[in-house]
Amino acid sequence: QSRLVESGGGLVQAGGSLRLSCAASGLTSSIYPMGWFRQAPGKERELVSAISSNSGGTYYTDSVKGRFTISRDNAKKTVYLQMNSLKPEDTAVYYCAASRPYFTRVVTTTADYDNWGRGTQVTVSS
């Protein structure tokens, strides 16, 4: 498995923007479906967005549609989450995760992700 390292989190005012990055390192020649998850205190970890291996399919949870955009650069082994119009409700630890290379479609089942980053804190002040 590749190591996944998130970056780009921080403190931002409501209405602001952040761009999260998830870089994969290690020995791999495969491309994986990727997802961004988040977990706030007292809440279950939820899938925020996901992208297929070839970027042909994307998924967004209803609460972020129109505000967040997932993208990837396979040459750089990096997945991004552009977050605009941030709300205090977006405050959480954000995790990137990789599924398996044999999945050709966007993966929306948490159990199908088996490689996780450590997470990056996003705090949105009001």
Side-chain angles (χ1 to χ4, degrees):
Q1 292 184 334
S2 295
R3 290 175 293 175
L4 304 179
V5 181
E6 302 96 335
S7 62
L11 175 65
V12 65
Q13 294 180 342
S17 298
L18 286 173
R19 187 194 191 200
L20 304 184
S21 298
C22 176
S25 64
L27 299 177
T28 180
S29 60
S30 299
I31 306 300
Y32 300 80
M34 300 291 294
W36 283 98
F37 295 76
R38 68 185 180 189
Q39 187 167 25
K43 295 184 177 180
E44 293 289 319
R45 185 173 298 187
E46 66 169 338
L47 176 63
V48 177
S49 185
I51 189 167
S52 61
S53 297
N54 65 0
S55 300
T58 58
Y59 164 87
Y60 300 93
T61 193
D62 286 344
S63 64
V64 308
K65 287 180 179 177
R67 299 190 297 120
F68 291 10
T69 302
I70 191 170
S71 62
R72 66 190 300 158
D73 185 337
N74 288 341
K76 296 182 178 180
K77 297 183 178 180
T78 302
V79 179
Y80 307 94
L81 185 67
Q82 179 67 46
M83 305 185 295
N84 299 326
S85 301
L86 283 163
K87 304 175 181 179
E89 305 93 271
D90 296 317
T91 296
V93 177
Y94 283 70
Y95 302 87
C96 66
S99 188
R100 293 293 185 179
Y102 49 78
F103 289 121
T104 60
R105 301 179 183 273
V106 63
V107 178
T108 59
T109 302
T110 304
D112 287 330
Y113 288 89
D114 59 6
N115 189 10
W116 296 79
R118 290 184 176 183
T120 185
Q121 177 70 46
V122 172
T123 302
V124 184
S125 63
S126 60

